[in-house]
Amino acid sequence: MTLSLTAAQLHGPTSLAEAVRLVAGGAVPLAGGTWIMRGPRAGDHVVLAGLAELHGVATAGDTVVVGALATHAELARHAWPPALAALRTAAAESAFPQVRNVATVGGNIGAAGFAEADLVPALLALDARLRLGDAGGAVPLAGYLAARPAGALVVAVEVDAPAGRTSGFARQTVRGGGEYAIASVALAVDRDAAGVVTAARVAVGAVEPVARRCPEAESALVGAPLTAASARAAGAAAAAGLHPRDAPDAPGWYRAAVLPAVFERAAARAAEEPR
Amino acid sequence: MTPLLDVLRDRLGLRGAKAGCGEGRCGACTVRLGDRTVASCLLPTVLATEPVTTVEGIAPPDGPLHPVQDALLEHGGVQCGACIPGMVVSICTLLESDPDPDEATVRAGLTGNICRCTGYQKIVEAALAAAGKDQP
Ligand code: FES
Ligand code: FES
């Protein structure tokens, strides 16, 4: 363990460009602080709260753009289309009110080492893209999580909400209440008029060190209606393809063992959304 | 970065908010920032840019208790008291946003306030009573 005795230096940029420059130079972005305040709290931090560009949720056609400073509470309150219901549920069931009121989507994505982040699997299942504070276009969230490019500031998250798609999210905790999930599941499905799944995106959080899509579960869902049985089978397929982590709150085998049940709950929620 | 809780307790002498876990898990440090509750142990003071209400501000110092505080006493919702300042702030904030909550709403609103003593039932009953929903 390193003990840092350096005082934190806070920067309050007055423009997004200035914030981007500071973060590119190595300063840490500070949004709601709920992750950072549990760490050493030292070094340079960039206070983002004053930057209007990072706030709010906007819709352009089928695409929804969520500012990085949108809190879990705001996401839980927002009127989402059925395609994005998983995001609402993940935000509403994460942690508890005092944390949801300040913790942001940008922080949930940007917190390295946060295996239990709830919004991340939901956003992966929704095929989210990130706008980083550079001149380039939006990048896939999955790629960002794999590389965690140093000095990149998450400015906004883009998700598509085509008609006919529904999504659902469920999480499992050891006790009730506001704990970290030991496994979380988000799925988004497109279904034809007969209810047969034509495309599926599935992501699992808290099981591996970083949330990820589960192609085995996606192929297991396609070609049949979304039922409790098909969801459980997809959960078993996902469990077989994952490398679950052991941690004090749950051993790896247990995380894998609960997955079919969590899949069933997430699928039931996706199925009950209107199409 | 100094957490708001340290400023409240150590610089301003407001000892109502408690330092419990210090990592956003127990709610003993709950205060209100603007119209929402926050865990002050995790809030960098630089982000406290709206009015902060601690339990000391819920009822005037020498005046009568707030109805939520009275209800907690009447319903036996207070034992050691360590969680109570946070509970009071959470319940008052909940009732302001939803004056007519059902039991499930109260329980959901208190998921971030851990109580080691009471088993919660009496606290939930007190919150419902303060909302005018006294049970037989
Ligand atoms: S002391 Fe802040 S949540 Fe426990
Ligand atoms: S009364 Fe003791 S912790 Fe709640």
Side-chain angles (χ1 to χ4, degrees):
Chain A
M1 184 180 136
T2 323
L3 184 62
S4 173
L5 297 177
T6 331
Q9 165 102 34
L10 295 174
H11 303 270
T14 52
S15 72
L16 180 57
E18 189 186 350
V20 167
R21 249 193 331 275
L22 286 161
V23 173
V28 177
L30 175 67
T34 52
W35 179 260
I36 287 172
M37 290 299 278
R38 290 157 58 183
R41 303 175 184 175
D44 280 18
H45 288 80
V46 184
V47 182
L48 301 176
L51 301 172
E53 299 94 321
L54 302 183
H55 291 270
V57 179
T59 303
D62 272 352
T63 301
V64 180
V65 182
V66 182
L69 289 183
T71 63
H72 288 59
E74 285 165 4
L75 298 181
R77 275 196 303 268
H78 194 78
W80 299 102
L84 304 180
L87 186 55
R88 177 190 63 226
T89 308
E93 297 189 348
S94 184
F96 44 81
Q98 296 95 313
V99 168
R100 290 197 294 268
N101 284 338
V102 287
T104 65
V105 62
N108 207 245
I109 293 167
F114 188 12
E116 302 89 345
D118 286 300
L119 302 183
V120 172
L123 291 168
L124 284 171
L126 302 177
D127 241 343
R129 302 172 297 277
L130 302 184
R131 290 186 186 170
L132 302 177
D134 54 21
V139 300
L141 169 61
Y144 172 90
L145 294 173
R148 288 211 173 270
L153 175 66
V154 177
V155 171
V157 185
E158 295 179 3
V159 276
D160 295 331
R165 182 173 298 170
T166 65
S167 69
F169 173 90
R171 70 203 293 274
Q172 182 64 44
T173 54
V174 178
R175 295 176 291 268
E179 292 171 61
Y180 283 158
I182 57 165
S184 61
V185 173
L187 50 87
V189 290
D190 299 348
R191 285 174 290 168
D192 65 17
V196 172
V197 175
T198 55
R201 284 150 304 274
V202 175
V204 168
V207 173
E208 290 190 347
V210 181
R212 72 161 168 93
R213 290 270 292 267
C214 293
E216 305 86 347
E218 294 172 353
S219 7
L221 288 175
V222 172
L226 188 63
T227 62
S230 75
R232 283 191 164 262
L242 287 160
H243 300 281
R245 66 197 172 94
D246 292 318
D249 57 345
W253 67 264
Y254 189 78
R255 296 176 200 273
V258 299
L259 270 183
V262 189
F263 265 76
E264 186 181 335
R265 296 211 313 269
R269 285 171 159 179
E272 78 196 11
E273 287 294 322
R275 278 193 287 156
Chain B
M1 263 184 291
T2 310
L4 177 64
L5 179 64
D6 291 3
V7 174
L8 295 173
R9 291 181 57 86
D10 301 340
R11 304 221 195 134
L12 301 177
L14 297 167
R15 302 285 170 86
K18 299 285 181 280
C21 64
E23 54 175 35
R25 289 175 184 265
C26 74
C29 65
T30 302
V31 302
R32 191 145 63 178
L33 175 67
D35 61 0
R36 59 200 201 275
T37 54
V38 299
S40 63
C41 69
L42 290 188
L43 191 83
T45 305
V46 66
L47 296 184
T49 52
E50 290 170 76
V52 172
T53 309
T54 67
V55 70
E56 289 90 342
I58 295 284
D62 297 316
L65 292 176
H66 187 279
V68 164
Q69 294 169 312
D70 273 332
L72 280 163
L73 289 175
E74 276 162 27
H75 286 78
V78 181
Q79 290 191 23
C80 80
C83 69
I84 296 300
M87 286 285 183
V88 168
V89 173
S90 283
I91 295 170
C92 289
T93 307
L94 174 75
L95 295 185
E96 265 175 39
S97 69
D98 180 359
D100 188 27
D102 58 15
E103 179 173 340
T105 307
V106 170
R107 287 188 179 274
L110 296 180
T111 45
N113 293 84
I114 306 287
C115 176
R116 286 295 191 194
C117 304
T118 65
Y120 301 101
Q121 185 60 32
K122 290 170 188 296
I123 292 176
V124 172
E125 285 168 9
L128 290 169
K133 300 183 136 180
D134 245 326
Q135 288 156 343

